[in-house]
Amino acid sequence: MTTLLQQLVYGLILGGTVGLIALGYTMVYGIVQLINFAHGEIFMVGAFGALATFTWVIPEGVKGTWYITLPLMVIAGAVVSMVIALIIERLAYKPLRNAPRLAPLITALGVSVALKEAVRIWYPGATAPLPFPKEFLTGSIEIGSILIPKTGLLIIVVAVVLTVLLQVYINTSRMGRAMRATAQDPDTARLMGINPDRTIVLTFAIGAVLAGVAGVLYGVHINNISIDIGFQNGIFAFTAAVLGGIGSIRGAVIGGFVIGLVKTIAGQYFPGGTQYDYVWIFVVLIAVLVFRPQGLFGETERVRA
């Protein structure tokens, strides 16, 4: 029983990271119907941006004081991710906005490879995994025989809080209503005085900031980053977005937690162990899509006139 509960804790921690990344996938698809396969690399560059800030910007005398360094690293990671995402949107995706869907999809794959190779070539030492500073409280919280790493608890709390704030922002703010209107019908939204281009840019920016925050917290928790973390966690996040219903905010996060739990439980108890935990993730995804093709919280896709 203790092992099961401990695996559930690890699953929630992984799910929090995956959920934060999945929000970017689901928001971008919801508004421009683009599966942005480069979003996993946005998560990766956020982690490297924070590491660069810690290595070359933050003074030596401040390092180790986590309540100063961690916020600075989170801001740096979020800014780096947002700037890269906006450059990609402007140079790679915007010119293809009215092209057949296959064109931006292939472009996204190309951008993903380009980002990964750019970091590998230009970031010093990125050809191998790099240590990431553990700029947060160390140790674990003990509940009986269950250990909850404090960095893992931070990931779960941040994922839930940011999701709630994002949902409230989209439901109540003027720009949130503009995002929903653009997602439903950009032509009609334009007639109502909404600027779809500005709305799309904001959507990319918000998704990138969330991915950047996730990248920094992931590095703090794992104490290690590499250029491969974007692909691996990006696949999990894309699967979570589809599982929860792509286009749904709460679906993306709940899908992330489901993916995290399935991976850890399957790795511990299912046949094949950790070698086949990826298989069980997709088994669950297929099983859900057979009965609900739109995902757990998604809506049936409307065909635009």
Side-chain angles (χ1 to χ4, degrees):
M1 188 62 181
T2 300
T3 302
L4 173 61
L5 294 175
Q6 190 65 61
Q7 292 302 318
L8 290 176
V9 170
Y10 293 148
L12 291 175
I13 295 171
L14 174 61
T17 304
V18 172
L20 282 174
I21 308 171
L23 286 171
Y25 274 106
T26 205
M27 290 178 67
V28 169
Y29 182 85
I31 204 160
V32 291
Q33 279 72 55
L34 166 67
I35 299 175
N36 183 15
F37 281 117
H39 192 64
E41 313 314 323
I42 298 296
F43 160 80
M44 181 266 293
V45 297
F48 274 92
L51 180 59
T53 302
F54 180 84
T55 304
W56 295 301
V57 177
I58 295 177
E60 289 293 333
V62 177
K63 293 178 180 177
T65 310
W66 70 265
Y67 50 84
I68 297 177
T69 55
L70 182 59
L72 293 175
M73 292 168 66
V74 168
I75 293 172
V79 169
V80 169
S81 292
M82 182 180 68
V83 169
I84 296 295
L86 294 183
I87 292 174
I88 293 171
E89 194 279 331
R90 179 53 59 97
L91 299 182
Y93 297 151
K94 186 177 180 181
L96 299 175
R97 200 166 290 167
N98 296 318
R101 289 190 182 185
L102 188 59
L105 187 67
I106 294 175
T107 301
L109 291 171
V111 170
S112 173
V113 174
L115 280 177
K116 184 175 178 179
E117 288 303 303
V119 174
R120 184 181 68 82
I121 293 171
W122 286 315
Y123 195 97
T127 52
L130 293 173
F132 198 93
K134 198 177 187 70
E135 290 294 313
F136 191 61
L137 298 174
T138 58
S140 301
I141 297 173
E142 295 186 31
I143 301 178
S145 56
I146 308 302
L147 299 178
I148 304 175
K150 293 176 181 176
T151 51
L153 183 61
L154 175 67
I155 291 175
I156 296 172
V157 171
V158 169
V160 172
V161 170
L162 290 183
T163 302
V164 171
L165 292 176
L166 179 62
Q167 188 73 69
V168 170
Y169 176 76
I170 291 177
N171 288 342
T172 60
S173 71
R174 182 183 178 88
M175 185 54 73
R177 289 192 291 272
M179 293 169 69
R180 285 184 286 150
T182 305
Q184 291 179 1
D185 192 328
D187 295 328
T188 303
R190 192 187 300 275
L191 292 174
M192 300 299 291
I194 295 171
N195 186 335
D197 289 335
R198 188 172 61 183
T199 306
I200 291 170
V201 168
L202 179 66
T203 303
F204 270 87
I206 293 175
V209 166
L210 294 173
V213 172
V216 179
L217 298 184
Y218 174 88
V220 170
H221 178 61
I222 302 295
N223 299 138
N224 192 290
I225 61 172
S226 73
I227 58 174
D228 296 321
I229 62 173
F231 176 79
Q232 180 185 25
N233 290 285
I235 291 294
F236 288 156
F238 172 67
T239 307
V242 175
L243 180 66
I246 199 158
S248 167
I249 299 296
R250 64 171 176 167
V253 176
I254 293 176
F257 282 119
V258 171
I259 294 296
L261 291 172
V262 169
K263 185 178 186 305
T264 54
I265 297 299
Q268 182 69 33
Y269 294 104
F270 287 13
T274 55
Q275 292 183 332
Y276 291 93
D277 52 6
Y278 281 53
V279 175
W280 291 109
I281 289 173
F282 288 101
V283 168
V284 171
L285 175 65
I286 293 170
V288 170
L289 294 184
V290 166
F291 297 101
R292 282 188 63 83
Q294 69 273 34
L296 295 174
F297 299 95
E299 298 179 356
T300 304
E301 186 176 1
R302 294 180 292 274
V303 178
R304 290 176 179 168

